[in-house]
Amino acid sequence: MSTTTVQKMRPWAATPRDRALTTLSVALSMLATFIIVAATPMKGKLAYFWLFFMVWFVIDSLFIARKGGSKGVRDGLAAKLTLLGGLIVCMTVFSILWATISRGIKGLNLEFLTANMRNASLFDPIGNGGILHAILGTLMLIAIAIIFSVPMGILTALYLTEIKGKAAGVIQFLVQAMSGVPSVVAGLFIYAAIILNTPLRSSAFLGGLALTILMVPTVTRTAQEVLNLVPSDLREAGLAMGATQWKTVALVVVPAARSGLITATILGVARIAGETAPLLFTVGVFDSYNFNPFKGDQGTIPTVVWRGLLGGTPESIQRAWSAILVLLVVVLIMFVLARTLGAKGSKK
């Protein structure tokens, strides 16, 4: 008895002829772009980039019109606009990363990562002093913000998606309003409400509270989207087996959305990691170690960057770029650790 193998069919896949026409249109567009740039005053990389896409839109549309007509042209135009948007985003991200890495790596050394600025200034030659105190201070502030904002944000998201009580509309409005609050307002609020009216003064704890105000909306809104993606069948199955609503949420919904909730936390950390304005009002500036989160000013990477750029000298600016690079690495390490721990938890 003979058996036949069913071949997968993909009618939408490009044929060898389509690929050949696309390659030809790209080649002709590149040639036309070089000719236009050479014959006109338009020069530079941006001129090449934009002219190539404009010419390619026209030439490739002519090729597509012969086969697919006006509908094919519109479909091809939509695909090219999507590609253009993706390239613009990628170019922006990579240009920022390249500028940060190429400028920041020049000032990195062992002293920069393992010392503080107690016996040095921003204007000293690179190699004198470091930002270890600022790294530890930034991690302390992020930890304080996570302790307050993650439970608050996730519980708020659970209330809005699972409970949907009478106050859901008001809370949803407040969360959306808080998402647009400028970072300096968070610092001013802590300064006016606590520092001016209580015995408490600048400290890492108050800085963490200011960052919490900025982090809660991001965690809440992202957690909402994640919880909405959990299938309703899981909730109904838990209730059908006799579990209460809170047991269903705690034992079924939250574990199913664990990876997404970790992502919400990471996005919240990314939102606050580089904030400077609220820290100037609540943390101050400090050039040495301070392991007491409830008393005294605290050094942070954003304030080091702010002071370095404000200094204006080549040495201070170099320290600022190197501090920016260290901040990116710190956030990246936290992202990788969170994803790794989340993946291990999901497997268990």
Side-chain angles (χ1 to χ4, degrees), residues 197-212:
N197 294 299
T198 69
L200 297 178
R201 292 295 177 262
S202 299
S203 66
F205 177 73
L206 296 183
L209 292 183
L211 297 181
T212 298

Side-chain angles (χ1 to χ4, degrees), residues 135-194:
I135 297 174
L136 297 177
T138 297
L139 293 177
M140 184 183 296
L141 263 68
I142 291 176
I144 293 172
I146 288 176
I147 290 172
F148 285 101
S149 62
V150 172
M152 193 184 305
I154 293 178
L155 289 175
T156 303
L158 288 172
Y159 179 83
L160 294 175
T161 56
E162 305 297 327
I163 306 302
K164 299 178 182 177
K166 295 182 179 179
V170 177
I171 294 175
Q172 185 69 61
F173 172 78
L174 292 175
V175 170
Q176 293 178 349
M178 288 177 64
S179 299
V181 171
S183 59
V184 67
V185 174
L188 284 172
F189 172 76
I190 298 298
Y191 180 78
I194 298 179

